[in-house]
Amino acid sequence: MLVLVVNAGSSSLKSQLIETHGKEARMKCLAEKVGTPEATMTVAFAPDFHKATYDVAGLSVARCLEKLLDIMVSDPASPISRLDQIEAIGNRIVAGGEFFTRTTLIDDAARRNLTRCEELAPLHNPPADECIDMLRTLLPNTPQVAVFDTAFHQTMPAKAYMYPLPMRYYDEYSIRRYGAHGTSHRYAAQQAAALLERPLSDLGLITCHLGNGGSITAVNHGKSIDTTMGFTPLEGLMMGTRSGSIDPAIITYIMRREGKTFDEMDKILNNESGVLGISGIGSDMRDVLTAAENGDDRAELAIDMYVYRIQKAIGSYYAAMTRTDAVVMTAGIGENSAHLRERIFAGLAHMGMILDKERNDVTGQIGVNRIISIDDSPIKICVVTTNEEMRIACETNDLVSQIG
Ligand code: ADP
């Protein structure tokens, strides 16, 4: 089945056209820094995957996707010349709330419920929904599926997903921890089990998805038992522009002191905090690392805080699990920044997570899953290339085939 996978992020669009039978990508697209004047989109077609770069300055995520569809039907290297050659569409959706506990076909009822989930992930769900609407208009007869980041975390026990608030907030509004990045954590755990040559059901893993957004999950015997993201993807680690966990009293304090509205406060916490808020430079970790190397104190503080919060989360999940066999690093920062991995694990050797500096530094192995701890490290450290798109394509294929 030829599946178009759409992974709309807060400031990025990742898309692939995947032939699910042979599990082969036929087209790969990445738009970065979307919404800014520097936004670019690269598109590459099989078999050579020579990248062509397009200017998408100022376009929204959905408009970038529209431009990609134009390229796909007009570029001679493309495997399709008509949109109806796409047999199904798989959309990555960050938050499914209590409405969605599994991969779902997007019919009118599901689409209405997707809108109700938007406030749970205000940076991610709205651009994804815009992409779905645009595709429903352009490809009305092509089945569209939503694959939720929250589904993997449905195995969490109540002690992990409940908040110590008056019970009626759970009963009336379903306020609880849902987590996010579930597709990535599940995939990272499976890949780590393959690397360690052990069945996933025997392992205790701490999976770290460190990208623009970031979350850490305790995966016990293949099941998520706790995760740092919460009711929304705002909780947990310090992120590119999100604060992560802070004292909730700070929010009411700032609102009173500065007369902020709810929306303004939401924007501060989601768009103006985190690495951007502390460094004052940006949310892109590469820019902040470069500034820190050049002696920028605020950039250095942002990195120090970023690393410290990851160390504390790994430590807390070590305590939460009955055993820890490996820590798994994935996503943009986890996969690519040897420097940040070195800083994170420099503080964790006493827990038995001992990095091998040379293995960590190896360049030229990007994209290859590997173990980067020393041979006799009691807890292994793995780097896994996340392949959310392939997972989404396979889940889409399975559901559409099942429904017929
Ligand atoms: P998203 O959450 O949008 O999917 P990604 O997983 O693509 O994000 O990760 C994006 C982040 O990864 C950015 O902060 C980017 O700076 C960072 N990143 C990518 N490559 C590197 C690198 N070589 N060193 C440090 N950070 C990197």
Side-chain angles (χ1 to χ4, degrees):
M1 187 180 289
L2 201 53
V3 177
L4 180 70
V5 173
V6 180
N7 185 345
S10 45
S11 62
S12 65
L13 170 71
K14 291 178 192 160
S15 179
Q16 290 190 17
L17 189 65
I18 292 176
E19 172 50 68
T20 53
H21 186 62
K23 294 203 162 91
E24 280 174 9
R26 296 284 166 81
M27 180 284 299
K28 293 182 182 179
C29 164
L30 172 65
E32 287 184 289
K33 301 188 178 181
V34 174
T36 73
E38 300 98 61
T40 55
M41 181 164 84
T42 58
V43 181
F45 294 102
D48 301 325
F49 290 104
H50 288 309
K51 284 182 189 165
T53 304
Y54 299 85
D55 178 10
V56 288
L59 296 189
S60 67
V61 174
R63 293 281 86 80
C64 289
L65 180 59
E66 204 172 1
K67 181 158 179 154
L68 171 64
L69 295 178
D70 282 344
I71 295 165
M72 283 170 66
V73 291
S74 56
D75 193 311
S78 172
I80 62 166
S81 53
R82 298 185 326 269
L83 288 182
D84 62 11
Q85 289 173 280
I86 298 170
E87 291 170 274
I89 299 159
N91 296 277
R92 175 217 177 194
I93 307 288
V94 167
E98 290 230 312
F99 297 103
F100 301 101
T101 55
R102 59 174 68 85
T103 296
T104 304
L105 188 75
I106 306 174
D107 55 15
D108 290 343
R111 178 62 192 87
R112 278 194 295 278
N113 282 334
L114 281 172
T115 299
R116 297 165 80 179
C117 297
E118 283 188 0
E119 63 181 9
L120 298 178
L123 291 184
H124 288 82
N125 272 30
D129 287 351
E130 273 174 46
C131 289
I132 290 169
D133 291 341
M134 191 269 290
L135 290 166
R136 286 182 104 200
T137 310
L138 288 180
L139 287 151
N141 300 319
T142 307
Q144 278 204 70
V145 164
V147 180
F148 295 93
D149 271 18
T150 44
F152 179 58
H153 301 298
Q154 286 298 306
T155 47
M156 283 187 291
K159 69 178 177 185
Y161 73 68
M162 289 299 290
Y163 289 107
L165 292 167
M167 197 56 145
R168 76 176 185 88
Y169 291 112
Y170 174 66
D171 293 338
E172 290 177 28
Y173 306 129
S174 306
I175 292 176
R176 49 159 285 179
R177 180 183 309 283
Y178 293 103
H181 293 142
T183 319
S184 173
H185 287 292
R186 177 165 44 199
Y187 186 78
Q190 287 167 342
Q191 296 294 306
L195 257 182
L196 299 169
E197 297 178 341
R198 306 251 308 268
L200 183 54
S201 55
D202 283 357
L203 293 170
L205 301 171
I206 298 173
T207 52
C208 307
H209 176 111
L210 306 176
N212 278 317
S215 67
I216 298 187
T217 297
V219 185
N220 214 18
H221 306 298
K223 291 190 171 136
S224 167
I225 59 157
D226 205 349
T227 192
T228 54
M229 281 180 169
F231 177 59
T232 73
L234 184 56
E235 193 182 340
L237 304 177
M238 174 174 173
M239 300 172 230
T241 60
R242 278 172 261 173
S243 64
S245 296
I246 59 167
D247 179 348
I250 295 168
I251 299 165
T252 44
Y253 183 84
I254 292 176
M255 290 178 80
R256 279 198 204 99
R257 282 293 296 246
E258 298 200 342
K260 297 282 186 214
T261 64
F262 294 108
D263 283 348
E264 284 168 342
M265 202 61 227
D266 213 47
K267 190 159 171 268
I268 291 168
L269 295 168
N270 276 298
N271 302 62
E272 298 168 8
S273 296
V275 174
L276 166 70
I278 294 295
S279 71
I281 287 163
S283 62
D284 195 296
M285 190 53 90
R286 288 164 290 200
D287 300 340
V288 179
L289 284 166
T290 305
E293 267 170 39
N294 294 331
D296 187 297
D297 290 342
R298 279 177 61 183
E300 183 53 35
L301 174 63
I303 294 165
D304 238 6
M305 290 169 64
Y306 181 83
V307 165
Y308 181 57
R309 284 168 173 245
I310 291 167
Q311 291 169 330
K312 287 202 294 182
I314 293 174
S316 69
Y317 287 160
Y318 176 86
M321 290 207 292
T322 47
R323 59 181 292 157
T324 305
D325 295 282
V327 180
V328 192
M329 309 295 282
T330 193
I333 295 168
E335 287 166 35
N336 299 310
S337 181
H339 175 75
L340 285 180
R341 287 195 304 258
E342 189 175 334
R343 283 175 71 158
I344 291 165
F345 289 103
L348 300 176
H350 68 287
M351 284 200 310
M353 300 162 189
I354 308 168
L355 198 73
D356 181 307
K357 193 168 159 22
E358 267 174 37
R359 288 177 185 164
N360 182 46
D361 284 345
V362 169
T363 47
Q365 268 204 311
I366 288 171
V368 178
N369 295 345
R370 62 197 207 276
I371 296 173
I372 57 164
S373 44
I374 61 169
D375 284 342
D376 49 9
S377 178
I379 296 171
K380 307 291 178 224
I381 306 166
C382 308
V383 176
V384 159
T385 304
T386 191
N387 196 341
E388 285 186 272
E389 284 71 21
M390 188 62 73
R391 284 199 58 86
I392 292 168
C394 292
E395 292 200 21
T396 302
N397 173 87
D398 293 349
L399 183 68
V400 170
S401 311
Q402 199 184 319
I403 293 169

Short mmCIF file of all heavy atoms in Angstrom, two decimals, residues 32-76:
data_model
loop_
_atom_site.label_atom_id
_atom_site.label_comp_id
_atom_site.label_asym_id
_atom_site.label_seq_id
_atom_site.Cartn_x
_atom_site.Cartn_y
_atom_site.Cartn_z
N GLU A 32 11.81 22.71 7.86
CA GLU A 32 12.27 23.13 9.17
C GLU A 32 12.10 24.62 9.34
O GLU A 32 12.03 25.37 8.37
CB GLU A 32 13.77 22.80 9.34
CG GLU A 32 14.04 21.32 9.51
CD GLU A 32 15.53 21.05 9.77
OE1 GLU A 32 16.33 21.21 8.83
OE2 GLU A 32 15.88 20.69 10.89
N LYS A 33 12.08 25.02 10.61
CA LYS A 33 11.92 26.43 10.98
C LYS A 33 10.68 27.03 10.31
O LYS A 33 10.69 28.19 9.87
CB LYS A 33 13.19 27.23 10.64
CG LYS A 33 14.43 26.71 11.35
CD LYS A 33 15.64 27.61 11.19
CE LYS A 33 16.83 27.07 11.96
NZ LYS A 33 18.04 27.88 11.88
N VAL A 34 9.65 26.20 10.18
CA VAL A 34 8.41 26.62 9.50
C VAL A 34 7.78 27.80 10.24
O VAL A 34 7.77 27.85 11.47
CB VAL A 34 7.41 25.44 9.42
CG1 VAL A 34 6.07 25.89 8.84
CG2 VAL A 34 7.99 24.31 8.57
N GLY A 35 7.29 28.74 9.44
CA GLY A 35 6.66 29.93 10.03
C GLY A 35 7.65 31.07 10.20
O GLY A 35 7.27 32.19 10.53
N THR A 36 8.94 30.82 9.97
CA THR A 36 9.94 31.87 10.09
C THR A 36 10.44 32.25 8.69
O THR A 36 10.24 31.50 7.73
CB THR A 36 11.16 31.40 10.92
OG1 THR A 36 11.92 30.48 10.13
CG2 THR A 36 10.74 30.72 12.22
N PRO A 37 11.14 33.39 8.58
CA PRO A 37 11.66 33.77 7.25
C PRO A 37 12.74 32.82 6.74
O PRO A 37 13.05 32.81 5.56
CB PRO A 37 12.25 35.18 7.50
CG PRO A 37 11.67 35.65 8.79
CD PRO A 37 11.36 34.44 9.60
N GLU A 38 13.35 32.03 7.64
CA GLU A 38 14.42 31.11 7.20
C GLU A 38 13.90 29.73 6.82
O GLU A 38 14.69 28.82 6.56
CB GLU A 38 15.48 30.91 8.28
CG GLU A 38 16.21 32.14 8.75
CD GLU A 38 15.60 32.67 10.04
OE1 GLU A 38 15.61 31.94 11.04
OE2 GLU A 38 15.08 33.80 10.02
N ALA A 39 12.57 29.56 6.81
CA ALA A 39 12.02 28.22 6.59
C ALA A 39 12.43 27.66 5.23
O ALA A 39 12.36 28.35 4.21
CB ALA A 39 10.50 28.26 6.69
N THR A 40 12.86 26.39 5.24
CA THR A 40 13.17 25.71 3.97
C THR A 40 12.54 24.32 3.99
O THR A 40 12.27 23.77 5.05
CB THR A 40 14.69 25.52 3.76
OG1 THR A 40 15.22 24.85 4.89
CG2 THR A 40 15.41 26.83 3.53
N MET A 41 12.33 23.79 2.79
CA MET A 41 11.78 22.44 2.69
C MET A 41 12.65 21.65 1.72
O MET A 41 12.93 22.12 0.62
CB MET A 41 10.32 22.51 2.19
CG MET A 41 9.65 21.17 2.08
SD MET A 41 7.86 21.33 1.95
CE MET A 41 7.69 21.63 0.19
N THR A 42 13.08 20.47 2.15
CA THR A 42 13.82 19.60 1.22
C THR A 42 12.93 18.42 0.85
O THR A 42 12.20 17.89 1.69
CB THR A 42 15.12 19.07 1.85
OG1 THR A 42 14.80 18.36 3.04
CG2 THR A 42 16.10 20.18 2.18
N VAL A 43 12.98 18.06 -0.41
CA VAL A 43 12.19 16.93 -0.91
C VAL A 43 13.14 16.01 -1.68
O VAL A 43 13.97 16.49 -2.47
CB VAL A 43 11.05 17.40 -1.84
CG1 VAL A 43 10.21 16.22 -2.32
CG2 VAL A 43 10.16 18.42 -1.13
N ALA A 44 13.04 14.72 -1.42
CA ALA A 44 13.93 13.77 -2.10
C ALA A 44 13.15 12.52 -2.48
O ALA A 44 12.32 12.04 -1.71
CB ALA A 44 15.09 13.40 -1.17
N PHE A 45 13.41 12.03 -3.68
CA PHE A 45 12.71 10.83 -4.16
C PHE A 45 13.66 9.64 -4.28
O PHE A 45 14.85 9.81 -4.57
CB PHE A 45 12.08 11.10 -5.54
CG PHE A 45 10.99 12.14 -5.49
CD1 PHE A 45 11.23 13.44 -5.92
CD2 PHE A 45 9.73 11.82 -5.00
CE1 PHE A 45 10.22 14.41 -5.86
CE2 PHE A 45 8.72 12.76 -4.94
CZ PHE A 45 8.96 14.07 -5.37
N ALA A 46 13.10 8.44 -4.06
CA ALA A 46 13.87 7.21 -4.26
C ALA A 46 14.19 7.09 -5.76
O ALA A 46 13.46 7.64 -6.58
CB ALA A 46 13.03 6.02 -3.80
N PRO A 47 15.23 6.40 -6.16
CA PRO A 47 16.12 5.61 -5.31
C PRO A 47 17.31 6.39 -4.77
O PRO A 47 17.95 5.96 -3.81
CB PRO A 47 16.61 4.50 -6.24
CG PRO A 47 16.63 5.14 -7.59
CD PRO A 47 15.51 6.14 -7.61
N ASP A 48 17.59 7.57 -5.38
CA ASP A 48 18.85 8.24 -5.01
C ASP A 48 18.70 9.19 -3.82
O ASP A 48 19.66 9.51 -3.14
CB ASP A 48 19.38 9.05 -6.21
CG ASP A 48 19.62 8.15 -7.40
OD1 ASP A 48 20.02 6.99 -7.16
OD2 ASP A 48 19.37 8.57 -8.54
N PHE A 49 17.49 9.67 -3.63
CA PHE A 49 17.20 10.64 -2.57
C PHE A 49 18.08 11.89 -2.65
O PHE A 49 18.60 12.38 -1.66
CB PHE A 49 17.28 9.99 -1.17
CG PHE A 49 16.14 9.03 -0.93
CD1 PHE A 49 16.37 7.65 -0.99
CD2 PHE A 49 14.85 9.48 -0.68
CE1 PHE A 49 15.32 6.75 -0.81
CE2 PHE A 49 13.80 8.58 -0.49
CZ PHE A 49 14.04 7.22 -0.55
N HIS A 50 18.24 12.36 -3.90
CA HIS A 50 18.93 13.65 -4.06
C HIS A 50 17.98 14.73 -3.57
O HIS A 50 16.84 14.82 -4.03
CB HIS A 50 19.27 13.91 -5.54
CG HIS A 50 20.36 13.03 -6.04
ND1 HIS A 50 21.57 12.90 -5.39
CD2 HIS A 50 20.43 12.23 -7.14
CE1 HIS A 50 22.34 12.06 -6.04
NE2 HIS A 50 21.66 11.62 -7.11
N LYS A 51 18.48 15.57 -2.66
CA LYS A 51 17.58 16.55 -2.05
C LYS A 51 17.45 17.81 -2.90
O LYS A 51 18.46 18.38 -3.33
CB LYS A 51 18.12 16.97 -0.68
CG LYS A 51 17.91 15.93 0.39
CD LYS A 51 18.45 16.45 1.72
CE LYS A 51 18.44 15.33 2.75
NZ LYS A 51 19.24 15.65 3.93
N ALA A 52 16.21 18.22 -3.14
CA ALA A 52 15.98 19.53 -3.73
C ALA A 52 15.43 20.42 -2.62
O ALA A 52 14.59 19.99 -1.83
CB ALA A 52 14.98 19.42 -4.87
N THR A 53 15.93 21.65 -2.55
CA THR A 53 15.52 22.55 -1.47
C THR A 53 14.58 23.62 -2.00
O THR A 53 14.83 24.22 -3.06
CB THR A 53 16.76 23.19 -0.82
OG1 THR A 53 17.63 22.14 -0.40
CG2 THR A 53 16.39 24.04 0.39
N TYR A 54 13.50 23.86 -1.28
CA TYR A 54 12.50 24.86 -1.68
C TYR A 54 12.38 25.91 -0.59
O TYR A 54 12.49 25.61 0.60
CB TYR A 54 11.14 24.19 -1.89
CG TYR A 54 11.17 23.15 -2.99
CD1 TYR A 54 11.56 21.86 -2.72
CD2 TYR A 54 10.83 23.49 -4.30
CE1 TYR A 54 11.62 20.90 -3.73
CE2 TYR A 54 10.88 22.54 -5.32
CZ TYR A 54 11.28 21.25 -5.02
OH TYR A 54 11.33 20.31 -6.01
N ASP A 55 12.12 27.13 -1.02
CA ASP A 55 11.90 28.23 -0.08
C ASP A 55 10.44 28.17 0.37
O ASP A 55 9.53 28.24 -0.46
CB ASP A 55 12.21 29.55 -0.81
CG ASP A 55 11.97 30.75 0.08
OD1 ASP A 55 11.74 30.57 1.29
OD2 ASP A 55 11.99 31.88 -0.46
N VAL A 56 10.21 28.04 1.66
CA VAL A 56 8.83 28.03 2.16
C VAL A 56 8.65 29.12 3.23
O VAL A 56 7.85 28.98 4.15
CB VAL A 56 8.41 26.63 2.70
CG1 VAL A 56 8.22 25.64 1.57
CG2 VAL A 56 9.41 26.08 3.72
N ALA A 57 9.44 30.18 3.08
CA ALA A 57 9.42 31.26 4.07
C ALA A 57 8.00 31.75 4.32
O ALA A 57 7.25 32.04 3.37
CB ALA A 57 10.30 32.42 3.59
N GLY A 58 7.62 31.82 5.56
CA GLY A 58 6.33 32.39 5.94
C GLY A 58 5.13 31.49 5.74
O GLY A 58 4.03 31.85 6.15
N LEU A 59 5.31 30.33 5.10
CA LEU A 59 4.16 29.44 4.88
C LEU A 59 3.81 28.68 6.17
O LEU A 59 4.68 28.39 6.98
CB LEU A 59 4.46 28.41 3.78
CG LEU A 59 4.70 28.89 2.36
CD1 LEU A 59 4.76 27.70 1.41
CD2 LEU A 59 3.60 29.85 1.90
N SER A 60 2.53 28.35 6.33
CA SER A 60 2.12 27.52 7.46
C SER A 60 2.50 26.07 7.16
O SER A 60 2.87 25.73 6.02
CB SER A 60 0.61 27.62 7.66
OG SER A 60 -0.04 27.01 6.55
N VAL A 61 2.36 25.20 8.16
CA VAL A 61 2.68 23.78 7.96
C VAL A 61 1.77 23.19 6.87
O VAL A 61 2.23 22.46 5.98
CB VAL A 61 2.54 23.02 9.30
CG1 VAL A 61 2.72 21.52 9.08
CG2 VAL A 61 3.56 23.50 10.32
N ALA A 62 0.47 23.53 6.91
CA ALA A 62 -0.47 22.97 5.90
C ALA A 62 -0.13 23.47 4.49
O ALA A 62 -0.26 22.72 3.52
CB ALA A 62 -1.91 23.33 6.27
N ARG A 63 0.29 24.71 4.39
CA ARG A 63 0.66 25.24 3.06
C ARG A 63 1.94 24.57 2.54
O ARG A 63 2.10 24.36 1.35
CB ARG A 63 0.84 26.76 3.12
CG ARG A 63 -0.42 27.55 3.39
CD ARG A 63 -1.32 27.71 2.16
NE ARG A 63 -2.24 26.61 1.93
CZ ARG A 63 -3.40 26.43 2.57
NH1 ARG A 63 -3.81 27.29 3.47
NH2 ARG A 63 -4.16 25.39 2.29
N CYS A 64 2.85 24.25 3.46
CA CYS A 64 4.06 23.51 3.05
C CYS A 64 3.65 22.15 2.48
O CYS A 64 4.19 21.70 1.47
CB CYS A 64 4.99 23.28 4.25
SG CYS A 64 5.81 24.76 4.84
N LEU A 65 2.67 21.51 3.14
CA LEU A 65 2.20 20.19 2.67
C LEU A 65 1.55 20.31 1.30
O LEU A 65 1.76 19.47 0.42
CB LEU A 65 1.22 19.61 3.70
CG LEU A 65 0.65 18.24 3.36
CD1 LEU A 65 1.73 17.19 3.21
CD2 LEU A 65 -0.34 17.80 4.45
N GLU A 66 0.79 21.38 1.11
CA GLU A 66 0.15 21.60 -0.20
C GLU A 66 1.22 21.75 -1.28
O GLU A 66 1.10 21.19 -2.38
CB GLU A 66 -0.72 22.86 -0.10
CG GLU A 66 -1.82 22.90 -1.09
CD GLU A 66 -2.78 24.07 -0.83
OE1 GLU A 66 -2.56 24.86 0.11
OE2 GLU A 66 -3.74 24.18 -1.60
N LYS A 67 2.27 22.50 -0.94
CA LYS A 67 3.36 22.68 -1.90
C LYS A 67 4.04 21.34 -2.19
O LYS A 67 4.38 21.04 -3.34
CB LYS A 67 4.37 23.68 -1.32
CG LYS A 67 5.53 23.99 -2.22
CD LYS A 67 6.19 25.30 -1.90
CE LYS A 67 7.36 25.50 -2.85
NZ LYS A 67 7.69 26.87 -3.07
N LEU A 68 4.19 20.52 -1.15
CA LEU A 68 4.79 19.20 -1.35
C LEU A 68 3.95 18.36 -2.32
O LEU A 68 4.50 17.68 -3.20
CB LEU A 68 4.92 18.48 0.00
CG LEU A 68 5.33 17.00 -0.07
CD1 LEU A 68 6.73 16.84 -0.65
CD2 LEU A 68 5.26 16.35 1.33
N LEU A 69 2.62 18.41 -2.18
CA LEU A 69 1.75 17.63 -3.08
C LEU A 69 1.93 18.09 -4.53
O LEU A 69 1.98 17.26 -5.45
CB LEU A 69 0.29 17.75 -2.66
CG LEU A 69 -0.08 17.15 -1.29
CD1 LEU A 69 -1.55 17.40 -0.98
CD2 LEU A 69 0.22 15.67 -1.23
N ASP A 70 2.04 19.41 -4.73
CA ASP A 70 2.29 19.93 -6.08
C ASP A 70 3.58 19.36 -6.65
O ASP A 70 3.63 18.95 -7.81
CB ASP A 70 2.45 21.47 -6.03
CG ASP A 70 1.11 22.16 -5.91
OD1 ASP A 70 0.08 21.50 -6.16
OD2 ASP A 70 1.09 23.36 -5.54
N ILE A 71 4.62 19.35 -5.80
CA ILE A 71 5.93 18.83 -6.25
C ILE A 71 5.80 17.34 -6.59
O ILE A 71 6.34 16.88 -7.59
CB ILE A 71 7.00 19.06 -5.14
CG1 ILE A 71 7.23 20.57 -4.93
CG2 ILE A 71 8.31 18.36 -5.48
CD1 ILE A 71 7.95 20.93 -3.65
N MET A 72 5.04 16.62 -5.75
CA MET A 72 4.92 15.17 -5.96
C MET A 72 4.22 14.81 -7.26
O MET A 72 4.48 13.75 -7.83
CB MET A 72 4.18 14.52 -4.78
CG MET A 72 5.06 14.38 -3.55
SD MET A 72 4.12 13.89 -2.11
CE MET A 72 3.60 12.29 -2.57
N VAL A 73 3.31 15.65 -7.73
CA VAL A 73 2.64 15.30 -8.99
C VAL A 73 3.35 15.90 -10.21
O VAL A 73 3.03 15.55 -11.34
CB VAL A 73 1.14 15.70 -9.00
CG1 VAL A 73 0.35 14.84 -8.04
CG2 VAL A 73 0.94 17.17 -8.73
N SER A 74 4.30 16.81 -9.99
CA SER A 74 4.93 17.45 -11.14
C SER A 74 6.39 17.05 -11.35
O SER A 74 6.90 17.12 -12.46
CB SER A 74 4.82 18.98 -11.02
OG SER A 74 5.39 19.39 -9.80
N ASP A 75 7.06 16.62 -10.30
CA ASP A 75 8.49 16.28 -10.42
C ASP A 75 8.65 14.96 -11.18
O ASP A 75 8.05 13.94 -10.79
CB ASP A 75 9.11 16.17 -9.02
CG ASP A 75 10.64 16.14 -9.08
OD1 ASP A 75 11.19 15.37 -9.88
OD2 ASP A 75 11.26 16.90 -8.32
N PRO A 76 9.46 14.94 -12.25
CA PRO A 76 9.62 13.69 -13.02
C PRO A 76 10.20 12.55 -12.17
O PRO A 76 9.99 11.37 -12.50
CB PRO A 76 10.60 14.08 -14.13
CG PRO A 76 10.79 15.55 -14.06
CD PRO A 76 10.20 16.07 -12.81
#
